[in-house]
Amino acid sequence: MMTKMRYLVPEDYMADPAVHIFNGRVYIYPSHDWDSGAGENDNGDHFEMRDYHVFSTDDIMEGEVVDHGKVLDVDDIPWAGRQLWDCDVAEKDGRYYMYFPLKDKNDVFHIGVAVSDRPEGPFTPMPDPIRGSYSIDPAIFREGDDYYMYFGGLWGGQLQRYRDNKALEEPHLEPDEMPAIPSRVVKLSDDMLQFAEEPRPIVILDPETGEPLKAGDNSRRFFEASWMHKYNGKYYFSYSTGDTHRLCYAVGDNPYGPFVYQGCIMTPVVGWTTHHAIVEHKGRWYIFHHDCVPSGGKTWLRSLKVAELEYDDEGRIKTIDGGGS
Ligand code: FUB
């Protein structure tokens, strides 16, 4: 059976979707790609995004997708250097908190917060980034009164510059036989503006050996694009494998893990990066993601898509063909 899919914003380039249901409506928080002319390299300089738009709909596959316009601009963020990458938004007590990664004036990524009274923004940035924050790709998972941020990304995402939440003198990618550099998870403070604790590593275990996945296990280990969702009482941590271009997932019994590797959610799309959000709406499951088909393969000009996601009877996600190689 063909997977049902849809391009959501055909008139512009949007990527890295985070998606939540607020007040019964589906809100999409993507990165906003454009052609800055920056050369393509492993540092991600070609992802030179300068603002965010918010989109919403009441019917994921068929409904009108409303563009709520520009909701945050890099020029309005006091600590900004460059590159607004993947963001996410959480609601608490009727206020909406946008978490965004941005390089500071020294070209170091941190995670900032901007606040609004409405899910569609506009968002007002706090004067400084979250204390102790680093790297990219914040994704927020709410469980009751607790809010967890998953974050981190290798290479241009700078995660290899940190160990135990401290900056290293020199960036250090682990040798192939060592445990892979992990994504991080941290609980947010009551006011949603800071970390409530030290970020912890997300350990992904090999189901055969029970050992953490190794750094050289490029087709399964974490690279970037963390997402968390819950299905049938289990915690599903999903992520991109980066240089092998797959979306994979691992399952655990609590938000901190450890998680046991399960498989591939989506094979490579057209384009280098792959990045997603998984949500349930009206009893069906969806994966929002992006590819570079409309731009003819330009990896810095990505288009927002959605596909239906299916589980088998044991809760395993059925692999979707991303259409790339
Ligand atoms: O959009 C810039 C970066 O590309 C994101 O932060 C990564 O997840 C990748 O999609």
Side-chain angles (χ1 to χ4, degrees):
M1 193 184 77
M2 281 283 288
T3 307
K4 211 172 163 190
M5 59 76 63
R6 174 190 188 188
Y7 281 102
L8 290 158
V9 186
E11 66 278 10
D12 205 346
Y13 294 113
M14 300 282 162
D16 306 331
V19 181
H20 296 280
I21 317 299
F22 294 131
N23 311 318
R25 193 167 170 84
V26 181
Y27 286 88
I28 309 167
Y29 302 95
S31 308
H32 187 189
D33 284 355
W34 68 296
D35 203 346
S36 71
E40 195 177 346
N41 58 30
D42 284 350
N43 203 32
D45 285 336
H46 45 304
F47 298 116
E48 190 68 48
M49 295 85 96
R50 298 189 53 82
D51 62 32
Y52 295 115
H53 282 228
V54 173
F55 298 86
S56 72
T57 186
D58 55 12
D59 184 328
I60 290 174
M61 279 299 171
E62 308 288 342
E64 180 194 5
V65 177
V66 177
D67 180 356
H68 295 282
K70 185 159 68 172
V71 299
L72 183 63
D73 191 295
V74 72
D75 288 342
D76 297 328
I77 302 169
W79 56 277
R82 63 186 181 124
Q83 297 186 298
L84 275 175
W85 286 10
D86 154 70
C87 69
D88 199 358
V89 169
E91 181 272 340
K92 184 175 185 182
D93 298 334
R95 302 205 86 196
Y96 296 83
Y97 300 85
M98 173 178 271
Y99 300 90
F100 58 87
L102 175 67
K103 283 181 178 163
D104 66 13
K105 296 181 198 311
N106 297 315
D107 238 21
V108 177
F109 268 117
H110 297 284
I111 296 170
V113 193
V115 185
S116 177
D117 290 330
R118 303 182 306 172
E120 69 271 28
F123 291 86
T124 305
M126 304 303 290
D128 298 298
I130 295 176
R131 279 190 300 280
S133 68
Y134 55 91
S135 198
I136 60 165
D137 287 358
I140 310 298
F141 173 70
R142 177 183 184 178
E143 175 127 272
D145 293 335
D146 294 325
Y147 294 78
Y148 301 87
M149 178 190 289
Y150 297 81
F151 70 91
L154 296 178
W155 297 13
Q158 303 182 345
L159 193 57
Q160 68 279 7
R161 296 187 184 189
Y162 298 85
R163 282 298 176 284
D164 301 325
N165 303 317
K166 304 222 169 22
L168 299 171
E169 296 276 317
E170 293 291 332
H172 180 73
L173 284 163
E174 293 293 355
D176 284 358
E177 66 281 8
M178 293 299 287
I181 295 177
S183 171
R184 310 288 203 266
V185 57
V186 61
K187 202 181 274 190
L188 296 175
S189 59
D190 282 345
D191 67 6
M192 301 292 278
L193 301 178
Q194 299 294 339
F195 293 163
E197 58 185 1
E198 286 277 302
R200 309 181 196 188
I202 290 285
V203 177
I204 303 175
L205 302 173
D206 184 317
E208 303 297 325
T209 65
E211 296 292 318
L213 295 185
K214 302 269 192 298
D217 193 347
N218 298 39
S219 68
R220 298 192 301 172
R221 60 93 177 90
F222 168 80
F223 187 97
E224 62 185 0
S226 299
W227 187 257
M228 172 60 67
H229 75 277
K230 208 171 166 185
Y231 179 75
N232 278 352
K234 295 281 187 191
Y235 297 81
Y236 284 59
F237 174 71
S238 50
Y239 55 96
S240 162
T241 60
D243 55 350
T244 50
H245 319 288
R246 301 181 343 138
L247 293 175
C248 291
Y249 76 109
V251 168
D253 292 325
N254 71 76
Y256 290 113
F259 299 89
V260 178
Y261 181 83
Q262 301 294 311
C264 177
I265 300 172
M266 186 175 284
T267 62
V269 296
V270 172
W272 200 95
T273 69
T274 186
H275 191 128
H276 67 299
I278 295 172
V279 289
E280 183 183 19
H281 187 236
K282 297 182 179 166
R284 290 183 176 275
W285 284 87
Y286 298 91
I287 180 164
F288 291 75
H289 59 110
H290 65 230
D291 72 21
C292 300
V293 172
S295 71
K298 292 193 179 74
T299 203
W300 62 97
L301 294 177
R302 300 164 292 180
S303 293
L304 206 57
K305 286 176 94 171
V306 64
E308 281 204 43
L309 187 89
E310 290 181 278
Y311 302 85
D312 71 14
D313 292 344
E314 287 164 359
R316 289 186 171 273
I317 296 175
K318 296 187 184 173
T319 305
I320 297 169
D321 180 359
S325 54

